[in-house]
Amino acid sequence: MSAAVPNLTPSQDAREFLGRDHRLFIGGEWVAAGSRETIEVIDPATEAQLTRVAIGGKDDIDRAVAAARKALKGEWSRLTSHERTKLIWKLADELDAHLALASELEVLDNGQPLMIARYSIQAFGSEFLRYYAGWATKITGDTIPVSPQGVRNGESLTYTRREPIGVVGAIIPWNAPLLMAVLKLGPALAAGCTVVLKPAEQTPLTALLLGDLCRKAGIPAGVVNIVPGLGETAGAALAAHPDVDKIAFTGSTEVGKKIIAAAAGNLKRVTLELGGKSPMVVFPDADLSRVIPGVARGAFFLQGQNCMAGTRLFVHRDIFDRVVEQVGEAASKFRLGPGMSPDSDLGPLISAEQRERVMGYIDSGRTSGAELVCGGEALPGRGFFVKPTLFANTNMDMKIAREEIFGPVLCAQSFRDSELEAVAAEANKGIYGLSGSVWTRDISVAHRMAALIDAGQVSINCHAAVDPGIPFGGNKQSGWGREFGREGLEAYLKTKATTVMY
């Protein structure tokens, strides 16, 4: 495990982008924030300032929403579904054409390894846009064979239309900024909505790059608006705005509850992708050659800063010691360093605040009696690095096993029950229900256990399987609604029924 080293020099394209005057993207133009205030953007690997970005407030959100409303009623509404398909596809092409720059900005901004950024932007960025580009021409209604009261059979026709829900406020987190933006834009644009996007204040750079790409792709002015800002100002104003028809939010459960309260003013639609504390359940017949790397990746991918992370490991007592030892060995071999370094397996946490939060949970684990298997330390020097950490012999009375940490911390506990219901009852403890995985060679056990886990997504012999066509979202306090797939598109549509009398 390497210590943090100085980050590599940014490319010429990245240096030019960072040197720009970073404004708000409203109505197809780069405009100054009303307050003229800016916020510094920090490289989490070096703690150095990358640039400064304008931050919007309530008045800027008002301007962005007005631009989105104007576009919704204007040119965008007059385009055919085929024309929307072509524009979304063109946006995907532009993202591919700027892959190197987008990946580099994502790494500098967020800290994730470059290899992961490049792969994910291609597989779940441009391809996600193309997936939803295809849906734009497949939004259909129904004819309903009914006869309203007092009308004889055959003397009326009832049909439904699916219409765009309207102006969408999209509020995204810092853990995978570009992908989170695309996850909102793809289905919203396919449905014919317009968008006001508020990226996290820590990671605004790739969202701003998307503004450039939208213009290059020919997306009409006002269809996509981008307003970096603080959650308590710009985010709150967007969530409460009376002329916003829907909020699509990804973030913490705590903030999700505030979004719901703010949205009540005009009863706007809300979809929420929130926190997780996902179980990985390993049965004694599981193939450990798949379990060990799968569990390590499931727990520590993106430094554990992802909602799908498998942060609770349940292992049958017959193989518990062996699995814990081998997962600890795998975790200890991960190389920590700046994301731009080709030798880095894991990057830094997003901020000093997040590092302090994670270290507080690790200290809690030590004092609550959990057994520290590996990690448990922040690296000295510059950068917000924390070693991958594994605790054994944990239980749900401990904070580290119960609460979402959003960092590289895995909690392991054993089980001995032969009854799957009892195993599932333990795995389902807690307020979250986002993801989960089952590891076994017994296909019957696999399917039965997957059915018993209370989560919106369960994988068998892998963890957090994702694809643009696979619905994703949470149960319990992990969220409302689904993203990805047809279900992700439905959240941006409303239904109108029309009856014609002959």
Side-chain angles (χ1 to χ4, degrees):
M1 185 178 297
S2 62
V5 296
N7 210 342
L8 303 181
T9 303
S11 68
Q12 179 64 29
D13 285 347
R15 292 198 300 272
E16 290 178 0
F17 185 92
L18 294 174
R20 285 170 34 173
D21 178 15
H22 297 289
R23 299 186 170 199
L24 315 179
F25 187 65
I26 297 177
E29 301 293 336
W30 294 106
V31 300
S35 68
R36 300 299 195 272
E37 292 182 1
T38 63
I39 190 170
E40 64 177 353
V41 180
I42 299 297
D43 180 350
T46 65
E47 304 182 43
Q49 178 180 301
L50 293 168
T51 188
R52 297 192 72 89
V53 170
I55 54 171
K58 182 181 182 303
D59 291 344
D60 301 303
I61 292 294
D62 287 343
R63 285 194 291 161
V65 171
R69 180 63 61 184
K70 180 180 178 181
L72 182 71
K73 296 179 178 180
E75 179 184 358
W76 187 238
S77 67
R78 294 188 290 271
L79 295 182
T80 67
S81 58
H82 291 283
E83 289 170 326
R84 287 206 310 277
T85 290
K86 291 177 182 178
L87 287 174
I88 301 169
W89 195 278
K90 178 60 175 173
L91 180 58
D93 289 344
E94 291 293 342
L95 185 54
D96 279 344
H98 294 80
L99 174 64
L101 176 59
S103 301
E104 189 173 357
L105 293 177
E106 192 86 330
V107 171
L108 292 171
D109 214 3
N110 165 271
Q112 63 186 266
L114 180 61
M115 176 184 67
I116 293 175
R118 287 183 65 90
Y119 170 76
S120 59
I121 290 171
Q122 281 188 305
F124 302 106
S126 54
E127 288 308 308
F128 189 88
L129 287 170
R130 291 188 180 98
Y131 173 84
Y132 276 107
W135 269 112
T137 58
K138 300 168 185 65
I139 300 171
T140 60
D142 297 302
T143 57
I144 305 173
V146 296
S147 296
Q149 187 174 6
V151 178
R152 290 189 302 178
N153 188 37
E155 294 187 351
S156 69
L157 169 68
T158 296
Y159 62 90
T160 62
R161 288 169 49 94
R162 307 307 309 281
E163 300 176 344
I165 202 165
V167 174
V168 174
I171 303 175
I172 60 173
W174 44 256
N175 61 328
L178 183 56
L179 299 189
M180 293 296 106
V182 168
L183 290 184
K184 312 303 185 194
L185 290 181
L189 298 182
C193 299
T194 57
V195 180
V196 177
L197 173 69
K198 193 209 84 68
E201 60 266 27
Q202 298 92 336
T203 54
L205 297 182
T206 45
L208 296 176
L209 177 63
L210 275 176
D212 287 342
L213 303 188
C214 285
R215 290 215 296 193
K216 289 177 180 292
I219 292 176
V223 172
V224 177
N225 306 273
I226 302 166
V227 183
L230 303 179
E232 57 267 29
T233 52
L238 188 57
H241 203 287
D243 209 23
V244 170
D245 302 295
K246 171 187 167 61
I247 291 291
F249 172 75
T250 298
S252 71
T253 296
E254 177 185 7
V255 175
K257 293 177 180 179
K258 295 179 180 179
I259 296 285
I260 294 171
N266 67 334
L267 294 179
K268 59 174 62 69
R269 303 276 187 91
V270 177
T271 52
L272 304 170
E273 200 272 277
L274 305 177
K277 194 73 176 176
S278 300
M280 299 183 288
V281 184
V282 183
F283 288 91
D285 67 333
D287 181 354
L288 296 192
S289 69
R290 300 176 66 178
V291 168
I292 303 306
V295 164
R297 287 193 299 266
F300 301 120
F301 177 72
L302 288 180
Q303 300 72 248
Q305 296 177 134
N306 75 92
C307 55
M308 299 179 292
T311 50
R312 294 189 296 148
L313 177 59
F314 295 86
V315 185
H316 193 276
R317 63 176 180 174
D318 290 351
I319 58 170
F320 180 80
D321 291 340
R322 191 172 9 147
V323 169
V324 167
E325 178 184 4
Q326 292 183 26
V327 171
E329 290 174 355
S332 298
K333 292 177 182 177
F334 284 131
R335 297 165 297 183
L336 271 66
M340 291 303 297
S341 170
D343 296 328
S344 298
D345 297 312
L346 299 177
L349 300 184
I350 190 64
S351 64
E353 179 184 14
Q354 185 66 7
R355 179 181 58 187
E356 182 180 350
R357 169 186 165 85
V358 171
M359 291 307 301
Y361 275 104
I362 290 173
D363 291 342
S364 171
R366 286 192 175 100
T367 59
S368 63
E371 175 191 345
L372 181 63
V373 177
C374 68
E377 299 175 346
L379 294 188
R382 307 289 287 179
F384 310 123
F385 296 90
V386 173
K387 292 181 180 180
T389 299
L390 171 60
F391 283 103
N393 301 320
T394 62
N395 60 68
M396 288 296 286
D397 291 331
M398 300 176 179
K399 281 180 60 177
I400 56 168
R402 189 174 63 249
E403 298 181 9
E404 184 179 41
I405 299 174
F406 223 62
V409 181
L410 173 61
C411 300
Q413 68 182 81
S414 64
F415 67 88
R416 66 181 67 188
D417 296 278
S418 59
E419 294 296 327
L420 297 188
E421 288 77 6
V423 180
E426 191 67 20
N428 289 335
K429 283 184 177 178
I431 66 172
Y432 300 109
L434 186 57
S435 188
S437 56
V438 181
W439 303 78
T440 177
R441 301 176 203 243
D442 187 326
I443 194 64
S444 176
V445 169
H447 285 298
R448 289 170 57 204
M449 191 66 195
L452 289 168
I453 291 177
D454 188 1
Q457 176 211 54
V458 181
S459 305
I460 295 173
N461 293 324
C462 59
H463 185 78
V466 292
D467 181 90
I470 301 175
F472 177 76
N475 299 345
K476 298 191 285 187
Q477 294 190 39
S478 284
W480 284 359
R482 294 293 182 264
E483 295 186 305
F484 298 78
R486 180 171 185 166
E487 286 85 348
L489 180 69
E490 293 288 336
Y492 294 86
L493 295 166
K494 57 187 177 183
T495 300
K496 176 183 290 181
T498 300
T499 297
V500 182
M501 303 291 292
Y502 298 160

